[in-house]
Amino acid sequence: MQLRRVATSKMTHLHRTSTSPQLHKYRIQKMVFCFLIRTVSAADRVTLRRRTLIGAVTVSALIILALLGGIVITAHRLMEVLDQLNTVSDVTKEFPSLSRKEGIVPEEVWRWIVAAKAAMTLNPQSAHELLSVSSDGKRLYQASSSSPPRVSTTETYLWCLCVASKNLLNTRAYFELEVTQSVPWTLGLCTESFNADNTPDTHPERGIWTIRSAESKIIINDGKATPTPYATPAKLGLYLDYARGQVSFYDSVARLHLHTYLTSFKEKLRFYAAVRVGIEETQEALISFV
């Protein structure tokens, strides 16, 4: 047993003696490797941080450029829209004068006129006793002789065979009427205070602006009964521009301008219609709002 210890001791000493330079070399290599690993890791971290920063800056720059691009595109589009609106505005400034120009009304002007369409109804209380208004206020008929007598009111026309609208107008308004071809008629606008029982409906200075039919032609009731070459239309359009003092009449089927009154209004206006009915009764509507 003593011999074994001696042998083991000698072997251990021999092993340490023989491996010490190798161990020392290994430790040095390990230290160099760890140093290199640390150096490389530090460099990688710096590189990674740089790349991350560059990436973030690049993305931010792209976002900013995209936003700026969107702003530029939006601003450009906005300018285009504004230019279009200005162009439309410049064009529509001409519409009032074009709406009263002789001849056919341009289509875009006609759409502008018709866009001001008003819902009109007749006032049955205003109708002369020989006239009758439909229950919806849209049509005027000759009253039947068999109908019971109607009680007159302060609104009823007693002498003039006419009727007025319920509507009082003081803005832009357009409406159309189908008019009879069988009896003469007078149509237009009058002031709220105009009374056809004691004032002729042929003088604009009295507060009434009308045209009438005679022998299938249109006559202007301008105080001189000015004739026109225009045939009595089956459908009549009436346009009011209160602010501009304009009352215009059209053949609405042909979009043909018939006549325009230009004045200044101090009162609200009513639609006014007078018809000449005969002894023979007719069942057809004399005037119909459409």
Side-chain angles (χ1 to χ4, degrees):
M1 188 171 184
Q2 187 175 0
L3 289 174
R4 182 178 296 177
R5 289 177 180 174
V6 172
T8 301
S9 176
K10 286 183 178 182
M11 289 179 66
T12 301
H13 176 74
L14 180 61
H15 175 75
R16 289 177 179 174
T17 303
S18 61
T19 58
S20 291
Q22 294 179 358
L23 181 61
H24 180 68
K25 182 178 180 180
Y26 169 76
R27 288 176 177 174
I28 293 174
Q29 288 177 345
K30 184 177 180 181
M31 291 173 63
V32 171
F33 179 74
C34 290
F35 174 76
L36 290 175
I37 289 295
R38 289 171 183 169
T39 304
V40 172
S41 298
D44 287 344
R45 285 197 295 272
V46 172
T47 302
L48 181 60
R49 288 174 182 172
R50 286 178 180 174
R51 289 178 178 175
T52 303
L53 180 60
I54 291 172
V57 172
T58 302
V59 171
S60 299
L62 290 173
I63 293 173
I64 292 171
L65 289 174
L67 292 173
L68 290 174
I71 293 171
V72 170
I73 293 172
T74 303
H76 179 69
R77 180 56 183 160
L78 180 61
M79 291 300 295
E80 288 181 346
V81 171
L82 290 175
D83 289 341
Q84 292 174 359
L85 290 175
N86 289 333
T87 301
V88 171
S89 178
D90 291 339
V91 171
T92 55
K93 285 179 182 178
E94 302 297 323
F95 284 1
S97 60
L98 292 173
S99 69
R100 52 183 181 265
K101 188 176 180 180
E102 185 177 356
I104 302 296
V105 179
E107 186 174 351
E108 63 273 17
V109 179
W110 186 252
R111 287 198 299 267
W112 174 76
I113 292 172
V114 174
K117 190 168 185 179
M120 302 293 292
T121 54
L122 297 170
N123 179 7
Q125 297 298 323
S126 69
H128 187 276
E129 63 179 5
L130 294 181
L131 302 176
S132 173
V133 175
S134 63
S135 58
D136 63 358
K138 297 296 185 182
R139 293 175 297 280
L140 180 69
Y141 296 93
Q142 182 178 359
S144 173
S145 57
S146 60
S147 299
R150 194 172 69 244
V151 178
S152 299
T153 69
T154 55
E155 298 178 284
T156 305
Y157 289 109
L158 301 177
W159 301 103
C160 177
L161 296 180
C162 52
V163 67
S165 67
K166 286 185 177 180
N167 309 65
L168 288 172
L169 306 172
N170 62 348
T171 57
R172 286 181 68 233
Y174 172 81
F175 52 91
E176 293 180 353
L177 309 101
E178 291 179 347
V179 291
T180 181
Q181 302 290 320
S182 60
V183 298
W185 48 257
T186 297
L187 301 173
L189 296 176
C190 65
T191 60
E192 186 177 5
S193 62
F194 179 82
N195 187 349
D197 276 339
N198 52 36
T199 306
D201 59 12
T202 56
H203 292 76
E205 66 273 11
R206 304 289 183 88
I208 187 166
W209 302 268
T210 62
I211 62 173
R212 61 187 171 95
S213 66
E215 299 179 351
S216 300
K217 294 290 185 180
I218 293 295
I219 305 295
I220 308 302
N221 286 332
D222 55 1
K224 298 176 289 187
T226 302
T228 74
Y230 305 123
T232 304
K235 189 180 290 186
L236 183 73
L238 200 156
Y239 171 65
L240 167 69
D241 189 332
Y242 190 93
R244 291 185 171 89
Q246 175 180 341
V247 179
S248 295
F249 300 87
Y250 305 93
D251 178 335
S252 61
V253 175
R255 299 203 322 265
L256 177 66
H257 173 249
L258 302 175
H259 182 67
T260 288
Y261 289 101
L262 289 175
T263 183
S264 59
F265 304 116
K266 297 179 176 63
E267 299 180 45
K268 293 181 179 181
L269 306 179
R270 295 185 188 275
F271 170 72
Y272 167 91
V275 292
R276 188 185 301 169
V277 295
I279 297 176
E280 293 184 5
E281 294 184 10
T282 176
Q283 301 299 316
E284 71 167 327
L286 304 174
I287 295 170
S288 301
F289 286 119
V290 294

